Amino acid sequence: MSAPTHASVAQLERESSTGSDPEKRATQTYNVETKITQVEQHDVFDDEGAGAGIDPVYHAKAKVLGDAFQEMGMGKYQWYLFYLTGFGWFSDNLWPVVTGLLLPPTINEFNYQGGWLKLAQALGSLVGCAFWGVSSDIWGRRWAFNLTLFITGVFAMAAGASPNYVALCALVGAWSVGVGGNLPVDSAVFLEFIPPSHQYLLTVLSIWWAFGQLVGSLVAWPLFANFSCASASNCPRASNQGWRYFLYAMGGLMTLLFLLRFAVFHLHESPKFLMSRGRDAEAVAVVHAVARFNGRESSLTLEMLQSCERVMAEKSGGSDGEYGGKEGKTIDTSVWGSMRRTMGAFGGNHVRSLFATPKLAFSTSILIVIWALIGLAFPLYNGFIPYFLATRGADFGDGSINITYRNQVILSVVGLPGALIAGWMVDLPYLGRKGTLATSTIVTGVFLFASTTARSSNALLGWNCGYSVTSNVMYGVLYAISPELFPAKDRGTGSALVASANHICGALAPIVAIYANIMTAVPIYVAGACFILGGFLAFLLPFEPRGKASI
């Protein structure tokens, strides 16, 4: 086997030879022939100069690790991760659905405004997204990867014993802290262990997202149908145990998934995280451990990573470990140094880099607005659709608990193909990621508006089935296109910005519903308008990442 480093080091030599001119370093690319399988590792903003200022040593080392995983290929370890990280997608959609399913029975028992439950969920998710994303960059991925599911399971089971709605809302907020960290951490774990040629699997992972809704609906159906009050007029705790059994079951499931991650499978720390902290030897050891698990060998050596620093040191007149020479500086790889860089990202160069050129600033702004609009629309619809279906079903004369949750299961089943459809559409020449995101988002909004015209239960169910399919396509693309549209050196900051916008607007959704009255179709109108506007904005994205792999 040939060494997976020749192209990276040779490219580094040429990059460093351009001197300090950022335009040359941002635009020049070099092809070096090697025997190893090469994948186009291209950031969509390279031609905009956004890559100026990237630490060339880190950049070269990242390519060496990427080549090493490409040489290794997709093996058992990566496929196990497909399932284990899929638990994060599963949880991310399951628990918002759980909160929505809790509304009718808990409102009947506690007689409170249901919007407070959704507000607690949104605030907890916002805290979780920020905390777990930052902590995984400081202390590594492993603990965050395992603890998110554990926290969710423990607090969900505790919520099943809630004596009143205040305790219930507090525990919903607590379990949502765990839920909020799933996708930021799990997506990083998955992408940092798979070969570049298989990054499309990030879109396919959204099938777990659809399974989360399906499992929640299937378990809720018999429990709520057989152990719930018919109305709020006579609803003591003893006759309304269904939602409590439901939380015990879902919390227990999360605990089981945690055990599968923690006790059955050994997750190695991310090699790229270790390399970014100056722990090159540990990064190499992890790559070799994964290769052995897959029954293969890796030709990666510590010398290959260290040679990146040596090449830059020679070109800049410095010594090994001080590759910046007189004008450069050594990166602080300590925990506190990592923390300072992470915390400083929200007010420093990483944010400014996302708006460095007019075209890049426009793209970043559009992404933030799209995430914000969907963050408002999705919880408005998914959080209140069970209540909406129940009340509309009553208007049609078939609003029984059994029919309501039967319909919820149907909606979950028809949404399953969404992730597979998304994976197919994003590679179509005339659609790509941008066109698929735009069309699926607009059609999703249209289905929501159409659902308010239904005059029969079956018509209402039909419109919502259409929404279920297109929304799963939309989310499958959204979770894939967003990291692709940020420069590599600022991808974490960009993901944090869009996720924060999403969760902040998610916190506004229950406030809209509180004042709009969930007994009407107004929350559905607001959600539909947000989806349609977000879809048209997606057409305006200036970059199309189809056919390009990220580093």
Side-chain angles (χ1 to χ4, degrees):
M1 293 184 184
S2 61
T5 186
H6 299 161
S8 300
V9 174
Q11 181 175 347
L12 176 61
E13 292 175 344
R14 288 172 169 81
E15 287 177 349
S16 62
S17 67
T18 63
S20 59
D21 189 336
E23 291 187 6
K24 291 181 180 179
R25 289 175 60 184
T27 58
Q28 288 188 345
T29 57
Y30 305 92
N31 295 318
V32 179
E33 183 177 352
T34 65
K35 296 179 182 179
I36 193 171
T37 302
Q38 295 293 315
V39 175
E40 182 188 8
Q41 296 186 349
H42 177 66
D43 288 310
V44 293
F45 300 130
D46 280 350
D47 59 347
E48 293 297 308
I54 277 186
D55 171 40
V57 174
Y58 174 86
H59 192 246
K61 287 184 177 181
K63 287 194 171 187
V64 170
L65 291 174
D67 288 347
F69 276 108
Q70 185 62 51
E71 176 193 44
M72 185 190 311
M74 194 76 179
K76 290 189 301 180
Y77 191 90
Q78 286 84 1
W79 284 115
Y80 287 161
L81 274 182
F82 180 84
Y83 291 98
L84 294 172
T85 56
F87 296 165
W89 268 256
F90 179 90
S91 175
D92 186 73
N93 196 26
L94 169 66
W95 290 100
V97 170
V98 166
T99 308
L101 293 173
L102 290 178
L103 284 174
T106 59
I107 288 175
N108 285 343
E109 182 174 336
F110 296 137
N111 192 27
Y112 72 105
Q113 177 61 270
W116 295 113
L117 196 67
K118 298 300 294 181
L119 180 60
Q121 176 208 336
L123 293 177
S125 296
L126 177 60
V127 171
C129 174
F131 174 77
W132 293 113
V134 170
S135 67
S136 69
D137 281 341
I138 297 173
W139 293 293
R141 320 291 194 216
R142 292 180 61 194
W143 284 105
F145 182 73
N146 289 313
L147 288 178
T148 50
L149 292 181
F150 177 74
I151 289 173
T152 303
V154 168
F155 284 107
M157 288 188 288
S162 299
N164 52 56
Y165 82 90
V166 175
L168 177 62
C169 289
L171 290 168
V172 167
W175 89 45
S176 296
V177 172
V179 174
N182 282 313
L183 288 184
V185 176
D186 294 4
S187 60
V189 168
F190 186 68
L191 285 174
E192 290 167 10
F193 276 99
I194 61 173
S197 59
H198 286 71
Q199 289 181 356
Y200 70 91
L201 288 173
L202 184 63
T203 301
V204 182
L205 268 173
S206 292
I207 196 168
W208 287 96
W209 206 72
F211 272 118
Q213 180 179 358
L214 174 61
V215 170
S217 301
L218 282 173
V219 176
W221 184 2
L223 293 177
F224 285 33
N226 295 304
F227 302 100
S228 296
C229 300
S231 68
S233 59
N234 181 25
C235 192
R237 174 170 177 167
S239 60
N240 196 43
Q241 292 288 318
W243 66 270
R244 299 178 187 274
Y245 298 153
F246 181 52
L247 287 180
Y248 296 146
M250 294 296 95
L253 176 60
M254 288 297 104
T255 305
L256 175 62
L257 297 183
F258 156 73
L259 291 174
L260 289 176
R261 281 185 173 185
F262 184 75
V264 177
F265 181 81
H266 176 67
L267 176 70
H268 296 285
E269 187 53 83
S270 161
K272 286 187 178 179
F273 168 80
L274 294 171
M275 179 269 291
S276 71
R277 296 285 301 279
R279 296 154 62 181
D280 290 354
E282 294 178 58
V284 172
V286 168
V287 172
H288 281 274
V290 172
R292 285 194 300 271
F293 189 91
N294 291 342
R296 301 171 187 174
E297 295 182 358
S298 174
S299 57
L300 178 68
T301 65
L302 178 60
E303 170 63 21
M304 294 175 186
L305 292 180
Q306 292 176 338
S307 64
C308 298
E309 294 185 25
R310 185 165 54 253
V311 169
M312 178 52 98
E314 292 171 355
K315 292 295 182 180
S316 60
S319 59
D320 290 358
E322 294 180 345
Y323 49 80
K326 295 180 180 179
E327 298 180 358
K329 60 182 180 180
T330 304
I331 293 178
D332 181 1
T333 59
S334 67
V335 170
W336 289 110
S338 178
M339 183 182 295
R340 284 194 297 271
R341 289 193 300 274
T342 303
M343 295 299 184
F346 288 94
N349 293 331
H350 288 293
V351 171
R352 287 193 291 271
S353 295
L354 295 172
F355 301 88
T357 67
K359 191 173 182 181
L360 182 55
F362 182 71
S363 176
T364 301
S365 300
I366 290 294
L367 270 181
I368 291 173
V369 174
I370 291 173
W371 273 87
L373 289 171
I374 294 177
L376 176 62
F378 184 75
L380 264 181
Y381 176 78
N382 262 23
F384 297 98
I385 189 61
Y387 205 84
F388 180 73
L389 288 173
T391 55
R392 284 302 173 99
D395 292 341
F396 300 141
D398 58 358
S400 69
I401 294 176
N402 188 65
I403 294 296
T404 297
Y405 290 102
R406 181 210 67 181
N407 292 350
Q408 186 71 17
V409 169
I410 292 174
L411 294 177
S412 303
V413 171
V414 299
L416 286 176
L420 301 178
I421 294 173
W424 168 69
M425 292 179 66
V426 293
D427 280 335
L428 293 179
Y430 298 103
L431 278 177
R433 285 144 171 80
K434 184 170 69 173
T436 303
L437 176 63
T439 54
S440 61
T441 307
I442 291 173
V443 175
T444 296
V446 170
F447 277 131
L448 292 196
F449 276 112
S451 69
T452 63
T453 67
R455 294 297 178 266
S456 69
S457 178
N458 289 336
L460 180 62
L461 180 60
W463 289 122
N464 283 300
C465 284
Y467 159 83
S468 185
V469 174
T470 57
S471 65
N472 276 281
V473 174
M474 174 193 72
Y475 261 102
V477 182
L478 186 65
Y479 282 129
I481 193 176
S482 297
E484 291 177 316
L485 287 183
F486 291 124
K489 69 186 182 71
D490 305 310
R491 188 163 292 138
T493 301
S495 298
L497 285 175
V498 296
S500 296
N502 182 266
H503 287 299
I504 288 171
C505 287
L508 296 177
I511 298 175
V512 172
I514 288 171
Y515 289 100
N517 184 4
I518 63 174
M519 297 293 290
T520 72
V522 172
I524 309 299
Y525 288 131
V526 175
C530 289
F531 278 124
I532 291 175
L533 178 57
F536 280 112
L537 289 176
F539 278 121
L540 302 179
L541 286 169
F543 302 103
E544 170 55 63
R546 185 182 68 86
K548 302 180 179 69
S550 299
I551 61 171

